[in-house]
Amino acid sequence: MIKSTSYPRLAEDVFEAIHSLMHQYRAQQYRALRDGPYDLTHMEYKVLSFFVRQPQATSSDLVQHSRRDKAQVARLIKGLRDKGLLEGTADVKDRRSIRLRLTEVGMSVHRVLEEERRYLNALAIQGLEEGECRTLIALLERVRSNVTSVPGDG
C-alpha cells in the first residue's frame, strides 16, 4: 500500500502542471509537423527518429521497441516508404527480413524536424538558468523514480 501524501492537492497540482506542459509541447510539435511541408504525423516522425538511431533495424525491432501493434507499424513504414523517406533491403542472412533506413530525403527531413525540436526545447527553457534546469531534471527524475517503483508496474 502506498502512503497517502500529507498534501494531496499539491500532488494533483504537480501532475496537472506536468500534463499541461506536455500537452502544450506536443501541440506545438504536432502543429509544426502538420503545417510543415512534409505532411507527417507525430508517429511517423517517431519512426524516422527510431531508424536514425537504429539504421538497418527491422519492422520487428520497431514493434519491440515501440510496443505498438504489428499492423500499425507496418502501415507507418509503408506510408514512409511511399513518401520516399524510408527504404529497405533484404537481410543478407534472412531474405524474409527487411532492413530499413532513411533515404537521403528522409535524412534531410529529419534534420529539419530535429532543428525545429531543438528550437522548441530552447524556447521552453528560456529564462531558466543552468542550475535551475539541472534542479528541475533532478526533481522530475525523483518523481519518475517514485512512479516507476510502484509495485506491479514498470
Side-chain angles (χ1 to χ4, degrees):
M1 179 77 174
I2 299 172
K3 281 198 310 188
S4 178
T5 178
S6 59
Y7 36 90
R9 183 65 214 156
L10 194 52
E12 293 291 324
D13 291 347
V14 166
F15 279 93
E16 182 56 36
I18 291 170
H19 173 77
S20 177
L21 167 64
M22 287 311 300
H23 179 73
Q24 184 61 40
Y25 183 86
R26 290 284 187 237
Q28 292 291 341
Q29 282 185 321
Y30 294 155
R31 190 172 300 119
L33 288 167
R34 182 190 66 228
D35 296 345
Y38 310 113
D39 189 29
L40 292 176
T41 66
H42 179 70
M43 282 305 300
E44 287 174 323
Y45 167 70
K46 289 181 77 84
V47 169
L48 289 178
S49 295
F50 173 79
F51 287 108
V52 164
R53 291 185 313 275
Q54 303 290 328
Q56 303 300 317
T58 65
S59 60
S60 295
D61 296 329
L62 180 57
V63 166
Q64 185 177 15
H65 171 78
S66 67
R67 298 182 182 167
R68 299 276 178 183
D69 179 79
K70 275 198 253 184
Q72 180 186 19
V73 167
R75 284 189 301 275
L76 286 164
I77 288 172
K78 181 183 180 326
L80 291 169
R81 290 182 83 171
D82 290 348
K83 291 177 183 181
L85 303 177
L86 201 59
E87 62 188 1
T89 55
D91 186 290
V92 180
K93 295 176 185 171
D94 179 1
R95 306 289 296 162
R96 296 170 296 164
S97 188
I98 304 296
R99 298 282 170 188
L100 297 159
R101 67 185 164 285
L102 273 65
T103 62
E104 285 186 37
V105 172
M107 287 299 289
S108 176
V109 166
H110 189 266
R111 275 192 295 277
V112 169
L113 294 173
E114 280 298 294
E115 229 172 84
E116 290 175 5
R117 184 188 62 78
R118 283 190 295 276
Y119 171 77
L120 182 56
N121 290 349
L123 185 65
I125 65 165
Q126 186 176 17
L128 296 179
E129 295 187 18
E130 184 179 344
E132 292 173 312
C133 289
R134 292 188 190 289
T135 299
L136 180 57
I137 291 167
L139 292 170
L140 290 171
E141 274 300 312
R142 284 175 48 196
V143 171
R144 185 197 57 76
S145 179
N146 289 341
V147 171
T148 58
S149 68
V150 173
D153 267 355

